[in-house]
Amino acid sequence: MPINPHACNGPCNKRYRAAVADHDQAVTLYEHALAIHQAVLAAWRIPLPYPAEPALPAPVTIRPYLGDPVWHPGCVKLIWAALDQLDDLASQAQAEVDGHRDAGARYGRTGITAKTHAGSPSPVSDTLDELYGDLVKVEDPWRQARGYRTRPQRARGGPARRASIAFLLDELDGILRDPWSVDFGLNVLAWHHRLSKLTKSDPPTRRSPIRCPRCSERQVSRTDDGYYQCQACEKLMSQAEHDRAHSEQADELDQEVHAS
């Protein structure tokens, strides 16, 4: 079955897209089994009553989160937060590289060895250069589409990256309302995940203390894309939905304590 064309392309519909993919695979297997079933009946002339045909897979009942107009509001907040944190993560990664280079200069056995180590190319620097390239691939056409002046020429590095991110944050509301922003939004989330892994800045624990609003199990964990999911019933929650459930359950606990 086709994906709803109005469905948000963000992580809020991860479970919906997985259900559609599973349904499509089940339909393919059903059609194959039905063809075999009909061929067997024709070949062997099985008398009545015929063996039952394979069952048609049940339709997908999960309702997708719709874009407004392109992204669900929860994903808009997620993309904004991810873009806002990109420079901090990039700066942290660069600082770690610079620290290693300094250490090489101090502890190298000879001046020549230390100098060669300090000037060696860094995969992290290449990664950050790639990040800046992706940012300006969005900044430049957006400036042109909006009639803004051409991006000032900047030497690649931290200041240029920060300037590009600041511009995109200022324009983010308009960008995310444009249909071509799908690739940009997903790319921002991917870069945030990539840099978080690079700097090992993921939170130490992903388990949430709340009970799942659907099944009441305490098996809710934070996912890589910033949402929360119950491992028992697979309910997916945005940060806002999680925080609301956390506040409501805290109030309930407080009322129980005062009542006892």
Side-chain angles (χ1 to χ4, degrees):
M1 64 176 290
I3 295 287
N4 186 322
H6 303 292
C8 173
N9 286 273
C12 64
N13 280 323
K14 179 179 179 180
R15 185 164 167 254
Y16 165 71
R17 287 191 292 270
V20 171
D22 289 345
H23 176 268
D24 289 346
Q25 184 179 17
V27 168
T28 300
L29 294 174
Y30 159 77
E31 292 173 346
H32 182 64
L34 182 61
I36 293 176
H37 178 270
Q38 293 173 343
V40 169
L41 293 183
W44 292 93
R45 299 178 182 178
I46 298 176
L48 294 174
Y50 293 152
E53 291 185 352
L56 183 67
V60 175
T61 57
I62 299 175
R63 298 181 62 181
Y65 293 95
L66 302 182
D68 185 23
V70 180
W71 297 92
H72 181 264
C75 285
V76 170
K77 294 179 181 178
L78 197 65
I79 294 168
W80 193 97
L83 181 61
D84 187 49
Q85 295 170 14
L86 281 189
D87 185 60
D88 287 342
L89 292 170
S91 297
Q92 182 179 342
Q94 187 62 60
E96 292 176 359
V97 171
D98 293 341
H100 287 312
R101 288 177 178 174
D102 291 344
R106 281 194 298 269
Y107 301 118
R109 294 184 178 180
T110 67
I112 296 176
T113 303
K115 187 175 182 179
T116 302
H117 177 70
S120 61
S122 165
V124 172
S125 296
D126 291 342
T127 297
L128 299 185
D129 192 60
E130 181 186 350
L131 167 62
Y132 179 66
D134 281 357
L135 293 172
V136 297
K137 284 179 184 177
V138 177
E139 179 183 355
D140 288 347
W142 184 255
R143 282 179 177 273
Q144 183 177 5
R146 300 290 291 178
Y148 299 152
R149 68 174 184 171
T150 305
R151 172 175 53 89
Q153 293 298 317
R154 314 166 184 142
R156 288 177 177 259
R161 182 181 62 245
R162 281 187 284 276
S164 187
I165 290 175
F167 173 83
L168 293 174
L169 282 171
D170 287 342
E171 297 291 319
L172 194 59
D173 183 61
I175 291 174
L176 294 184
R177 297 183 68 82
D178 197 290
W180 66 263
S181 69
V182 171
D183 288 342
F184 168 68
L186 295 177
N187 205 23
V188 167
L189 296 176
W191 268 111
H192 185 274
H193 177 69
R194 183 176 174 182
L195 293 179
S196 295
K197 293 294 184 184
L198 184 64
T199 58
K200 298 180 176 60
S201 58
D202 279 348
T205 178
R206 293 173 175 268
R207 179 61 62 89
S208 169
I210 73 168
R211 300 188 310 276
C212 174
R214 176 188 291 167
C215 69
S216 298
E217 293 290 334
R218 292 189 184 273
Q219 296 188 38
V220 177
S221 300
R222 183 177 180 273
T223 63
D224 288 339
D225 45 30
Y227 280 75
Y228 287 83
Q229 187 169 32
C230 177
Q231 304 305 309
C233 69
E234 298 186 344
K235 177 178 174 59
L236 195 68
M237 292 175 282
S238 67
Q239 183 72 54
E241 291 171 327
H242 170 272
D243 292 347
R244 183 165 58 250
H246 188 283
S247 178
E248 291 173 353
Q249 292 178 24
D251 290 342
E252 292 173 1
L253 180 61
D254 187 60
Q255 292 173 5
E256 292 175 1
V257 170
H258 284 82
S260 59

